Amino acid sequence: MRLFTVHVSGAGSADGSPLPMPCPRRALHRRGFTLVELIIAILVLGMGLVMLAAIFPAGIAQQQFSNDDVFGRVVADHAIAVIRSKVRQEDFGTFEQFYLRDARSTGDGGSLELPYRSAGSSAGSAPNLFGLAGDWGWKRPGFVFDNPNTPFNEARIDIFSWDATYRGLGAASFFPQQPTSPDFPLLSVNTALDMATEFPAGRNAASEPASLAPLPIPAAIQNFTHTLYGIPYNRSRFDSDLNVRSVEAEVVGYDTNGAAIRRPKVPAFYISQAERTWPQGSGTRANPGQYYWDCMFRRFEGRIYVAIFVYRVAAPGGEPRTYSVARAPNNPANLGQPQSNADLPPLPVTIRLGNTSNQGVGAIGANPGPLWTVANRDIVPNTNPGTTWTPYNAVAQSGAWQLPGQWILDKFNNVHRVVGGRRVPTNGPVRLARPIPAVPPVPALVGRASGPDPDDQGSTSIDQIWYLPGRDAAGNTIIPVFCTVQEL
């Protein structure tokens, strides 16, 4: 057997001849990336990363919109439940119980609202009313704002403006002997707190024009007129003697010393800021929530309805913080608020379209505001690109109803959603999610002298709306989420 020997030492082959060496020139044929190609690759990669990064904010925003669609209704249902736990239908009264007519929410007597006596009627004749007697339009509840001496926010809704009423009447001293018991809790007015109500100066029958008064004032009580500062309460429920007098308190008994025990007639029903925060925290302290809500009330066809506005808040700087409703600014020009009276409720705000008097804002320009009508359908007139209807501009909150995504309530209980809005004058027109519905000529919705026989004329235009401003007096951005109207 022949044995084969293999040489592994690298200088030769098995037969002793040298192995061929690799050609060094082959390495020169291995081509790399040039600088230009590298730069192009980096640019392509960078563009891809930028596009990928742009997806995340859009995705986050879309997720937020989806959350709003879902939780807006949940928060509104929560709000209705909270309100129903506080007040009932029978707690609300009428303006006629106080010998007053309804008025638009403009601070005092305001413009005429339904129902009202026709111009030709005299004080002694039978009431000739348009609309249903007892009904009244949308009214915001009173507010009691934060105590600056406390480290947390305590802004609360005062549904029947109890605090403002007793501050206005100076009646706090009339309850010194009131015992602190569940039946007669001790209530006191903190005059150091800021308050707001629909009628800051108060309204009473003595100042009511006789030709417009809904009911003749009995001679026996003409010198004891009651002053109303907010939403009317049911006098037959809370005012047992039905006596109209300046100091709204009644004697309910006497203590062991013979001193009179007085009880306030105006009901005190509050909704704290914590209760208007969702998810709701424990106790009365507000917490940085995801959503907030505020409300309005109206009496329509003898029933009380509630409008709920749900919104989010973005604080200046973007960091989460405890939020409470801020008082309306003393100088609305700084934030463009559509009201100049800081004693009026700040949320929601209201403007009267086509009118030069908007919540005390003064003349808004020679051009009339857009009147919404059925003929316009889902396009709001005078909002085309370039329209300079005053006071709309890029920052004025009196034009914030034109912002995309805005929720708007009109005087006929209809809720509108802006799907095509305006942020600058070059945008437009304002397009609503649904066409403006026709309003039937029913007694509860009859218009104001819109034809030969007002009782047969349906209101054909929307001349007053309520909505959330873009910012509040504290500089917080208000983001509308949802609005609904439900029976209490």
Side-chain angles (χ1 to χ4, degrees):
M1 177 181 295
R2 178 178 294 181
L3 298 175
F4 293 92
T5 303
V6 178
H7 298 273
V8 295
S9 59
S13 59
D15 58 359
S17 62
L19 293 172
M21 298 296 294
C23 180
R25 294 184 178 181
R26 292 183 179 179
L28 298 178
H29 295 289
R30 296 178 180 175
R31 187 174 180 276
F33 295 106
T34 65
L35 180 61
V36 174
E37 292 173 330
L38 185 60
I39 292 175
I40 293 175
I42 293 175
L43 289 175
V44 172
L45 178 62
M47 293 176 61
L49 292 176
V50 170
M51 295 177 64
L52 183 63
I55 293 176
F56 288 101
I60 294 173
Q62 186 61 43
Q63 179 65 35
Q64 183 64 68
F65 293 148
S66 299
N67 289 342
D68 291 347
D69 290 340
V70 173
F71 291 112
R73 291 166 174 80
V74 173
V75 177
D77 290 340
H78 164 78
I80 291 293
V82 170
I83 294 173
R84 287 172 177 165
S85 70
K86 304 286 184 177
V87 289
R88 296 176 291 179
Q89 288 273 346
E90 55 267 29
D91 294 331
F92 293 81
T94 68
F95 283 91
E96 286 86 345
Q97 287 180 314
F98 299 92
Y99 302 92
L100 296 169
R101 58 180 170 85
D102 186 13
R104 289 183 185 270
S105 50
T106 53
D108 296 309
S111 300
L112 217 57
E113 187 60 272
L114 303 180
Y116 64 97
R117 186 188 298 276
S118 61
S121 299
S122 62
S125 64
N128 181 13
L129 302 175
F130 301 149
L132 296 181
D135 282 1
W136 36 269
W138 287 111
K139 297 290 182 293
R140 296 165 294 189
F143 279 83
V144 180
F145 298 104
D146 299 348
N147 186 340
N149 298 320
T150 56
F152 53 88
N153 294 313
E154 298 174 321
R156 65 181 184 267
I157 282 179
D158 183 357
I159 295 179
F160 294 107
S161 298
W162 189 96
D163 290 82
T165 298
Y166 285 100
R167 181 180 65 173
L169 297 176
S173 60
F174 281 80
F175 309 115
Q177 302 298 326
Q178 184 177 339
T180 56
S181 67
D183 294 330
F184 306 110
L186 179 60
L187 298 175
S188 60
V189 179
N190 187 346
T191 57
L193 297 182
D194 293 325
M195 303 173 191
T197 183
E198 286 284 30
F199 311 116
R203 298 183 60 225
N204 58 62
S207 60
E208 194 79 0
S211 61
L212 299 176
L215 296 171
I217 304 176
I221 64 172
Q222 287 182 357
N223 296 327
F224 302 95
T225 56
H226 168 86
T227 302
L228 188 65
Y229 286 84
I231 295 174
Y233 58 90
N234 187 355
R235 296 193 62 204
S236 63
R237 179 175 174 82
F238 297 103
D239 187 359
S240 60
D241 58 7
L242 294 179
N243 184 26
V244 180
R245 53 194 178 190
S246 59
V247 179
E248 286 301 299
E250 60 183 344
V251 177
V252 295
Y254 297 88
D255 62 15
T256 55
N257 297 322
I261 299 174
R262 300 177 182 271
R263 180 180 64 183
K265 295 179 180 180
V266 181
F269 295 128
Y270 298 104
I271 305 176
S272 69
Q273 181 66 72
E275 291 174 305
R276 305 197 314 278
T277 301
W278 193 92
Q280 182 177 333
S282 59
T284 59
R285 296 192 179 193
N287 63 294
Q290 299 179 23
Y291 297 95
Y292 305 89
W293 60 269
D294 279 285
C295 60
M296 297 195 305
F297 299 87
R298 83 168 297 177
R299 187 182 179 95
F300 179 73
E301 294 186 328
R303 303 293 294 172
I304 300 300
Y305 286 81
V306 184
I308 302 295
F309 287 84
V310 181
Y311 56 97
R312 290 187 285 113
V313 174
E319 69 279 6
R321 64 175 63 174
T322 300
Y323 166 80
S324 66
V325 174
R327 189 185 184 193
N330 288 316
N331 184 3
N334 293 337
L335 288 172
Q337 294 284 358
Q339 68 182 39
S340 58
N341 192 338
D343 293 327
L344 288 173
L347 293 179
V349 295
T350 179
I351 63 172
R352 295 175 58 192
L353 303 170
N355 193 293
T356 58
S357 177
N358 282 293
Q359 290 288 100
V361 76
I364 61 173
N367 296 327
L371 291 176
W372 302 8
T373 65
V374 175
N376 304 126
R377 304 305 291 168
D378 59 340
I379 300 296
V380 179
N382 300 331
T383 58
N384 294 322
T387 301
T388 57
W389 170 68
T390 307
Y392 177 74
N393 57 49
V395 297
Q397 299 308 305
S398 50
W401 60 269
Q402 303 181 43
L403 292 173
Q406 183 66 269
W407 291 83
I408 300 170
L409 174 67
D410 67 27
K411 65 177 184 178
F412 300 124
N413 308 336
N414 296 317
V415 176
H416 309 273
R417 180 81 185 275
V418 176
V419 293
R422 307 177 72 192
R423 296 188 182 277
V424 294
T426 56
N427 297 148
V430 174
R431 184 182 298 274
L432 305 178
R434 297 180 181 85
I436 298 173
V439 179
V442 297
L445 294 175
V446 70
R448 293 179 55 197
S450 55
D453 186 355
D455 292 321
D456 295 332
Q457 299 296 319
S459 298
T460 59
S461 64
I462 298 172
D463 61 358
Q464 187 173 18
I465 57 175
W466 292 262
Y467 61 95
L468 293 171
R471 290 178 294 171
D472 66 6
N476 297 298
T477 299
I478 305 296
I479 306 167
V481 170
F482 187 65
C483 179
T484 185
V485 174
Q486 296 188 34
E487 184 176 341
L488 181 62

